[in-house]
Amino acid sequence: DLGITPRDDGGQLSGNCLEGNACLGMINAPSFIQVGPSSGNFGLANTVTIQGAITSDNTSIRSRDTLTFGDGANEFEINGASSLFLESTLGDVLFNGPVTVTGGGGDGESEGTFVIAANGNIIGEQARLISDGDMGLNASGDIRLDTIDAGGRLETYRFDSSPLPYIDIGGTFSVSNVLRTGASSDIRAAQGIYLDTTNINGNLNLTSSGGDVFVGFDLFATGTANAT
């Protein structure tokens, strides 16, 4: 909450679509989709709500406060085939309903980028994240999703530095359906780790300093699996 009360432009705007906020439907652009500047807070919409499919080779969507995808009912996809970057600098990234996020495959000359970052939580109880290579995540609070499917490793995204080769969050890490990675994975979550079907090409390390570590239906790792 930024402490800002958006205005309705004399009654012409309603709901979350008020002055200073951005509300968008389906967008299809072959080369590039950019909502918000590529860095910093200046020029960012307070909130961004997208209720339609996003399709492009490079997709960058940033908000100051909550960044929301989905209408709670319909299935659609957020895609950045070569690079995908979704960020809320002060709030949450929310996937409302059965939303699939894909991309990060690169352009044939350079590696792709798949990043989702939030100063709060990354939440999507029905959301599926699918990356062709490494998947960068960063959240101060929880990460709660249906599926994570990464062709490479999971890593902590850092804007001004190289990514860290592990996930480290202050809340709960929960993947209720499938967690699959193409490389060893190290997940650290202060308030607990909860997984169901887990398939890791390499080693798996799960660490929670203040909560439970639970792996449910099925666990497969080509290397070792450790939980503390």
Side-chain angles (χ1 to χ4, degrees), residues 42-195:
F42 182 79
L44 285 177
N46 292 327
T47 68
V48 174
T49 302
I50 295 179
Q51 296 187 347
I54 302 294
T55 305
S56 185
D57 192 46
N58 300 280
T59 296
S60 174
I61 302 174
R62 301 178 67 243
S63 67
R64 188 186 305 266
D65 207 338
T66 306
L67 174 57
T68 303
F69 298 91
D71 59 11
N74 296 300
E75 296 185 14
F76 63 80
E77 184 173 314
I78 307 298
N79 175 263
S82 292
S83 67
L84 180 130
F85 187 89
L86 310 177
E87 181 186 27
S88 171
T89 63
L90 296 176
D92 301 332
V93 175
L94 303 178
F95 300 102
N96 184 19
V99 178
T100 300
V101 185
T102 64
D107 58 9
E109 297 182 359
S110 59
E111 293 185 2
T113 300
F114 187 110
V115 169
I116 301 176
N119 193 50
N121 308 296
I122 299 173
I123 304 295
E125 305 296 350
Q126 299 179 66
R128 300 166 65 238
L129 308 186
I130 304 172
S131 70
D132 295 315
D134 295 339
M135 181 181 295
L137 303 174
N138 193 329
S140 297
D142 296 346
I143 295 177
R144 302 200 306 268
L145 299 161
D146 175 87
T147 295
I148 291 178
D149 189 342
R153 70 181 183 183
L154 296 181
E155 55 191 24
T156 296
Y157 163 77
R158 296 190 294 173
F159 182 80
D160 57 355
S161 187
S162 299
L164 298 172
Y166 51 81
I167 296 293
D168 190 358
I169 61 173
T172 298
F173 185 94
S174 173
V175 179
S176 61
N177 190 9
V178 176
L179 169 65
R180 189 194 74 83
T181 65
S184 295
S185 292
D186 184 346
I187 300 170
R188 309 170 189 183
Q191 300 303 317
I193 299 172
Y194 302 91
L195 307 175

